[in-house]
Amino acid sequence: MKLKITLLSALIGTASIAFAQNNSVEKQKIAHEMQISMVDELLKPWYPAAIDTADGGFLSAFTYDFKPTGNQDKMIVTQARHIWSNSKAAELFPGKKYYMAGARHGFEFLRDKLWDKQYGGFYIFTDKQGNPKHGDFAPKEAYGNSFAIYALAAYYQASGDTSALNLAKQCFWWLEKHAHDPVYKGYYQHMQRDGTPIVRDSTIRSTAETGYKDQNSSIHLLESFTELYSVWPDELLKTRLKEMLLLVRDKITNDNGNLILFFQSDWTPVSYRDSSLAVYKRHHSLDHVSYGHNVETAYLMLEASHALGLEDDVKTLQVGKKMVDDALDNGWDNKVGGFYDEGYYFKDKPGITITEDTKNWWAQAEGLNTLLIMAAKYPQDKHQYFNKFKTLWQYTQTYLIDHEHGDWYQGGIDKQLQYKTALKGQIWKGTYHNFRALMNCIMQLDPDKTPPTAPKQVKLVKATGTLKWLASTDNKRVLGYNIYSNGLRIGFTPLNYFVVGKSGKLSVRAVDLAGNLSTESKAF
C-alpha cells in the first residue's frame, strides 16, 4: 500500500523516524498538556462566546477576563481567522456542533457584508454591523483578502459548501486582476476600493507603509494559496503559489535568513541602515529584523513546497533552516527562552542589536511549531531544536498562557507585566496563531500513521456528471476525498460525491486529518 503523508507529516520527512523513537514518553506528555490547553484554555473561552448573534460574524474585543468590550469594529483579518479556527475545530471535534455553526455564521458575514458587491474584493475594516470604515487602512488590501481566501478554503474543506469555494475563487481572480504585478511579480498590498493599486508619492508620509510591497502580505498570500490549492488544484493558482514561494524564498529573504520588510514596486528593499539614528528610529517599523515572521515563514515555505509536490526541495529547506538558526543565534533569550520581537544591524555596530526584547504571543506560537519541524528534520543539529522547543513550551506555560481566565497574553509577562490585564481579544488578536501551533504540534508529537480505508463502489452518474462512492472509515476521522482524472488531482470534497467537470479515468482517495491517503478506488 502506497502511503502519502501530507502537510506536517511530509514536512518532517524520514528523519522523523529517529526523532519519534526518542523521548516518546516525554512527547506524549507534552502532547497531552497541549491538548488540554488547546481545548480548555483557548477554544472554550472563545467559542461560542465570540459569535456575534446580533450583527453577524465574530466579536473582536474582549477584556482580560473575557468580557466583550469596546465598539467591536470588525476587520476582515480577524473575522477570517475566526472562521478558519472554527472550521479546523469542527474537523477535530465534530461532536461540538457550535464550531461548524460558527464557521457558517462567519462565512455568511464575509459573503453578505465584507464582500464588495459593486467592485469585488473584501473590505478591510467595518463597524460592528459591517458598514465600511476608513480606520488606518487602505480601502482594500491584499493582506486582508489573503486571509479571506484562507478562511473560505478551510470552511469548504470542513463543510463541502461549494458557495464558499466559489467565493474563494472569485477573490483569487479579483487579486489576479487588480493586485498581481505581471512585470515584477508578487502583489501590490494597498488598493483603492475599485482595486486600483495605490502608488506611493510625495503626499504619503515617509513613515507610512502605504504603496510599498511587503513581506507580510506576501507570506500570507503564500499561506492562503497553499490552503486554497489543497481543495482547488487549479493551474493558474499553482503557478501563483510557486511564484510566491520563489519570491519569498529568493527575493524577500536575505542572505542572513531574515525577511526584508518593505520594498519598492520593483522589489528594491526599503532600508534605513545608512541613515542617522534619529531617522532610523522614526522609520524602524519599516526596517528591522522580525524574528517571529522569520520562524513563521520557514514553516509556510515548507508547507507550500510540499503542496506543490516539489520532491527533495533542498533549497527551501536550507533557507528555512537558516531563518530558524539565525533567530536562535541572535533573537533567542538564553535565560528563560522565547524569541525577541525585533533586532537591527546598525552600520556602526558589530553584529545585530536587539532593539525590542519583548516577546509577543504569536511569535512564540509560530516558534513552537517550526522548532518541532526542525527537530524532526535535524535531530542531531547543534541548535538542539527539540530542547529549544521544550524550553519554549515551558516559557509559554509560565509567561504567556493565562491559566485562570484562558487564552494567551499579548506578550510574555516576564517582559510586559501589564499584559496580565490587557485585552485578550482585539482586531489583531484572536485564536489563529496559537490554535494552529498547538494543533500542529500535537499532530507531530503524537502522529497518526494509519491511512483510511479506500472508498467503495465509486460510480459516475453520467446524467448529472456526479461521482459518488460509499464513505471510507478511519482510526480517527476521515477528512475528505481527493478526486483524480487520469491520475491528476482535480478536486477535494468532505462529502461522498463530487461533480466532475471533465471526463477521463476517474478515481478517488480518502484522506484523514493527519493527511494519510487511502489506496485509489477507480470509478466504474
Side-chain angles (χ1 to χ4, degrees), residues 122-193:
F122 286 97
Y123 295 113
I124 186 73
F125 190 57
T126 72
D127 64 14
K128 186 176 185 293
Q129 290 74 37
N131 301 304
K133 295 182 68 173
H134 291 293
D136 295 324
F137 305 96
K140 303 276 176 67
E141 295 187 0
Y143 180 81
N145 278 270
S146 74
F147 274 103
I149 291 174
Y150 189 62
L152 292 166
Y155 174 60
Y156 168 74
Q157 183 187 70
S159 68
D161 185 342
T162 54
S163 66
L165 179 58
N166 289 336
L167 187 54
K169 294 177 184 179
Q170 278 187 265
C171 187
F172 171 75
W173 289 323
W174 187 86
L175 286 170
E176 177 70 18
K177 179 179 180 180
H178 297 286
H180 182 255
D181 183 348
V183 178
Y184 296 110
K185 307 303 179 184
Y187 291 79
Y188 298 108
Q189 156 68 337
H190 306 100
M191 290 163 280
Q192 303 290 359
R193 184 186 169 191

Side-chain angles (χ1 to χ4, degrees), residues 48 61 107 161 166 255 302 315 332 346 349 423 466 471 487 516:
F107 159 63
D161 185 342
N166 289 336
D255 292 340
L302 290 170
K315 185 171 183 180
W332 176 261
F346 291 99
K349 293 182 180 181
L423 293 179
T466 303
N516 301 308

Side-chain angles (χ1 to χ4, degrees), residues 222-393:
L222 176 73
E223 173 187 41
S224 67
F225 290 175
T226 299
E227 189 87 7
L228 183 57
Y229 190 66
S230 70
V231 295
W232 181 48
D234 176 75
E235 280 303 311
L236 178 60
L237 174 60
K238 183 178 182 180
T239 298
R240 293 292 175 257
L241 176 57
K242 187 174 182 179
E243 178 183 307
M244 293 309 298
L245 173 60
L246 298 181
L247 187 64
V248 170
R249 188 190 71 188
D250 302 337
K251 180 74 69 173
I252 296 176
T253 305
N254 66 21
D255 292 340
N256 290 330
N258 302 142
L259 292 166
I260 302 168
L261 301 189
F262 291 93
F263 300 82
Q264 305 289 347
S265 61
D266 62 355
W267 296 105
T268 299
V270 174
S271 173
Y272 288 88
R273 192 164 187 262
D274 293 329
S275 303
S276 68
L277 181 61
V279 170
Y280 163 71
K281 286 183 175 180
R282 287 201 308 273
H283 298 85
H284 85 96
S285 64
L286 299 176
D287 182 23
H288 62 263
V289 174
S290 173
Y291 293 109
H293 284 115
N294 291 347
V295 296
E296 178 183 20
T297 302
Y299 159 64
L300 296 179
M301 290 194 309
L302 290 170
E303 183 187 43
S305 175
H306 172 67
L308 287 165
L310 302 180
E311 301 292 339
D312 300 317
D313 187 1
V314 175
K315 185 171 183 180
T316 298
L317 181 58
Q318 288 176 339
V319 173
K321 184 179 188 301
K322 180 184 289 188
M323 299 173 88
V324 176
D325 291 351
D326 183 79
L328 289 173
D329 292 339
N330 297 303
W332 176 261
D333 185 341
N334 288 305
K335 292 182 179 180
V336 298
F339 290 102
Y340 295 128
D341 285 343
E342 296 181 16
Y344 197 69
Y345 287 94
F346 291 99
K347 62 180 180 180
D348 56 351
K349 293 182 180 181
I352 194 166
T353 301
I354 297 300
T355 52
E356 295 288 346
D357 67 353
T358 49
K359 306 168 194 174
N360 66 72
W361 95 98
W362 63 264
Q364 315 318 314
E366 298 298 343
L368 287 168
N369 180 42
T370 304
L371 285 172
L372 207 48
I373 292 172
M374 291 298 162
K377 284 288 188 183
Y378 305 99
Q380 305 302 322
D381 191 85
K382 67 178 182 179
H383 288 92
Q384 298 184 309
Y385 300 114
F386 187 61
N387 285 338
K388 291 293 196 307
F389 162 79
K390 291 190 295 182
T391 298
L392 185 54
W393 175 233

Side-chain angles (χ1 to χ4, degrees), residues 49 51 119 262 313 470 521:
I51 297 174
Y119 292 105
F262 291 93
D313 187 1
L470 296 181
S521 295

